[in-house]
Amino acid sequence: MKELICICCPMGCHLQVDDSDKKNIIVTGNTCPRGAKYAKDEVTCPKRVVTSVAAVDGGEINMVSVKTSDSIPKDKMFDALKLLDNISVPAPVEIGQVIVKDVLGLGVDFVATKSVSKQR
Amino acid sequence: MINKNLVIIGGGPAGLAAAKSAYDAGERDIVILERQSELGGILNQCIHNGFGLHTFKEELTGPEYAQRYIVEVQKRNIEYKLDTTVLSISNDKIVTAVNEADGLIKYAAKAIIVACGCRERPRGGINVAGSRCAGIFSAGTAQKLINIDGYMPGKEVVILGSGDIGLIMARRMTFEGAKVKAVVELMPYSSGLNRNIVQCLKDFDIPLLFSHTVVDIKGEGRVSSVVIAQVDERLNPIMSTAQEIKCDTLLLSIGLVPEKELAEKAGVKVSPITGGAIVDESMMTSVEGIFECGNVLHVHDLVDFVSKESEDAGASAAKYIKDGAKSEAKVSIVGADGVRYVVPHYLSKTASLDKLQLKMRVANVFKNKRLVAVLDGEEILSKKKQIVTPGEMESIILTAEQIKKIQSGEKLTLCLKD
């Protein structure tokens, strides 16, 4: 039995999820169908888009913001973030530019979410 | 003195959206004045995602959302000046600004849109006792240090305040290797979004302590610990519950204060509740030709709503420049019985509108209520609400028919009823 707070609306229903039978996950405590769907996704494969920054070399600002191009499994977040620790991207950086290709072999890239021009 | 039809103060989400829509409403003589060295405002440091679900039907990060509007402004060749600080605006609409390239600049404007957002409430705003050592940051300052400048403000962190910025920073500090020991919230509820409580705290097992506050900060040179305590119903600390948490950093996420001073000095009437101007349905303030929109008017939860409101302000300003002011007769719109404030504060009796969105915030968490609009004692509209919280702005969209009816009255009251 797992306990979750639903994030679909401000109600924030406290959900109880019985996932002892993976084929028949039972959700209680929800006040609408969206809560049940949220809980099932969250206990079967919780995923998150990860956002962070990477250092820029010779840019107008020191850091460029990045995100994973798609959501990745929650338990891979910190391993993915480590890939950004020791890199330095040469300026200029274009929004959408791939910063780390194929993060952890997940088929997802870290891409820049802003442009950083060269230092004037 | 430069003659300019429309001067927009602030190049963040509000200013950009206002400029775009003023242009699209036919106004071509526009300048945006921005204090920072790039457009986009606070979005540039809000690198997390979740922006734009309403406007673009997709989840963008802050910088990406800003970029969408910057492109729109640049496509229209709207003039903007960066690194330019506005020093004052006057009630006859003279805007005085300064920058390194031009020195002192004076604009004689036909209309002004004040879109300069908020600043963070500092430690002095709540008078936390204790040492005045290093290691105490507002959450937004820490956000800028990490996301723009690339510096880590600390390793072991306590965060006071569970609004969205505090929650987002709890995750951000964790991602960068810090240990967030607790998020401490004075109220018995969070003013942040549920989604952020789950994805920024629960995902990392960061404790959220409701009805607690920081009562002492200890440290010589640098923070070494903070003392927290539970508070009673009247928000007074119960000292017998005090406990010390070792940390080197305290982040304060204790509210936003509108940058109201510019408008106020021009004679604009300010609401004591929101801190922003008192406006009519066109977002015009009490000074003719001066408009206000975005977080300087009232704090929004979502940037999407800032953009929408500012687009309305931009279009209204363009219309005002063309047609001049409307009649003075207005219906006043107020909040009561659980509704803390409503924006706009007035509805002009002669305005011709297809629809009008009334935005409001409630004073507490309420369940199973009706949000009711009462016109001079008569209930004209009711909307069932399973839950309302101070953290989520409520709104009612009025139809053309309802607007006409309201325009025949004197006072519209929004309140919560059983």
Side-chain angles (χ1 to χ4, degrees), chain A residues 12 48 52 62 67 74 114, chain B residues 44 64 149 176 194 203:
Chain A
R48 302 282 186 267
S52 187
N62 295 343
K67 69 171 182 185
K74 203 171 101 174
K114 79 162 85 160
Chain B
N44 286 320
E64 290 172 311
D149 302 328
E176 292 298 335
N194 262 324
D203 271 6

Side-chain angles (χ1 to χ4, degrees), chain A residues 5 7 9-12 38 48-53 61-63 65 67 74 77-78 81 95 113-114, chain B residues 44 47-49 61 63-64 147-150 172 174-176 194-195 198-199 202-204 387 392:
Chain A
I5 298 175
I7 64 169
C9 87
M11 276 294 277
Y38 166 76
R48 302 282 186 267
V49 168
V50 178
T51 61
S52 187
V53 291
I61 54 173
N62 295 343
M63 310 304 281
S65 52
K67 69 171 182 185
K74 203 171 101 174
M77 284 195 293
F78 283 95
L81 284 163
I95 188 168
T113 56
K114 79 162 85 160
Chain B
N44 286 320
I47 64 163
H48 52 281
N49 69 334
T61 65
E64 290 172 311
N147 294 347
I148 307 276
D149 302 328
R172 194 70 198 104
T174 307
F175 273 177
E176 292 298 335
N194 262 324
R195 158 205 169 91
V198 171
Q199 298 195 347
K202 293 228 177 254
D203 271 6
F204 310 104
I387 186 166
E392 308 241 354

